[in-house]
Amino acid sequence: MTAPDVSAPQPGLSVGPTSEFSLFFRVKPGESVSLRNALQALQDTPGYRPGDYGMAIQTIHEARFVLFDDDTRLAFITSFDGPWDAYMEDFFTSGPTLALFDLIFSHVEGYDGLPDVAAVRSFVLGAEQSAAAYARNYGGTVKEIRKAQRVNSAFQQVLDHPEAAEILEHPAMQPLLDEAGD
C-alpha cells in the first residue's frame, strides 16, 4: 500500500458531488481601498454580477471574497462540482477568470502575478485551507439544478396555457401539480 503524499495540496471537504475550496491571504499594507475597488470591478463583470449565471467555470455553485480583520485579510471561499483536479485545471486555464483574479491577488502579500501560471498555481494552492466542516442544504450539481429550473419554467408555461386544462386533469399529472402548488 502506498502512503498518500501529504505534502501535495489536498482537496477540501465534499458533500456528494460538490466540494469546498477556501483560500486565505494577507492584504498588502495600504491596499485595502484598491482591493475593494478591484472586488467591485469583479462584481460588475458579466457572469459575476448578481443575477448573471454565465461564469466561465460552469461547475461553481457560489463564490465569495471576504475582507476581514479590519481589511487586512482576504478570504476566497467557493464550492464546485466534480473532481478537485478538474476544478483546479479549469481555474488555471480559464483566461478570463484567471485575469480577474490576477487583479485581485495583486493586492495581497506574496503574489508575483501573471504570466507565470505555475507560480500563480503554487501561490493559490499555498493559500488553501480545507474547511473544518462543510454542509449543503440541497443536492444536485450545477448542471442538474439548472436543468431543474428549465423544466420548472417549462412546466409553469404549461400550467398557464389555456389548452392544457384537459391534460392537467389526467391522474398521472397529479404529482407534478402537487409540487407546483408549493
Side-chain angles (χ1 to χ4, degrees):
M1 175 186 240
T2 305
D5 180 2
V6 294
S7 65
Q10 299 296 309
L13 299 178
S14 295
V15 174
T18 303
S19 298
E20 60 84 22
F21 181 65
S22 304
L23 303 173
F24 296 90
F25 308 99
R26 294 200 179 280
V27 177
K28 291 177 183 174
E31 293 283 322
S32 64
V33 171
S34 297
L35 175 55
R36 281 193 178 274
N37 290 337
L39 291 169
Q40 185 61 54
L42 172 70
Q43 191 73 53
D44 292 337
T45 300
Y48 292 87
R49 291 181 296 224
D52 283 0
Y53 300 107
M55 286 185 168
I57 302 173
Q58 295 290 307
T59 59
I60 294 176
H61 282 264
E62 85 291 318
R64 65 193 145 287
F65 284 94
V66 180
L67 280 161
F68 62 104
D69 285 347
D70 295 322
D71 290 357
T72 63
R73 304 284 313 273
L74 175 69
F76 172 70
I77 303 166
T78 187
S79 65
F80 60 92
D81 294 326
W84 186 77
D85 291 337
Y87 174 72
M88 291 296 106
E89 185 65 22
D90 285 348
F91 183 83
F92 291 111
T93 59
S94 173
T97 299
L98 199 52
L100 291 167
F101 277 68
D102 183 58
L103 295 173
I104 293 163
F105 293 158
S106 69
H107 301 286
V108 301
E109 293 178 356
Y111 185 68
D112 294 327
L114 291 172
D116 188 348
V117 176
V120 173
R121 182 183 191 101
S122 178
F123 171 77
V124 166
L125 296 180
E128 180 189 9
Q129 293 291 318
S130 289
Y134 171 57
R136 289 183 65 209
N137 197 32
Y138 57 90
T141 65
V142 172
K143 185 176 181 180
E144 291 167 343
I145 292 165
R146 287 184 176 168
K147 180 178 181 180
Q149 290 172 329
R150 290 190 310 273
V151 168
N152 181 56
S153 178
F155 186 63
Q156 294 303 321
Q157 290 176 15
V158 169
L159 290 176
D160 293 341
H161 198 286
E163 295 177 21
E166 185 178 332
I167 295 168
L168 294 173
E169 290 181 22
H170 192 283
M173 297 298 291
Q174 195 58 49
L176 286 172
L177 293 170
D178 290 345
E179 286 299 319
D182 284 347

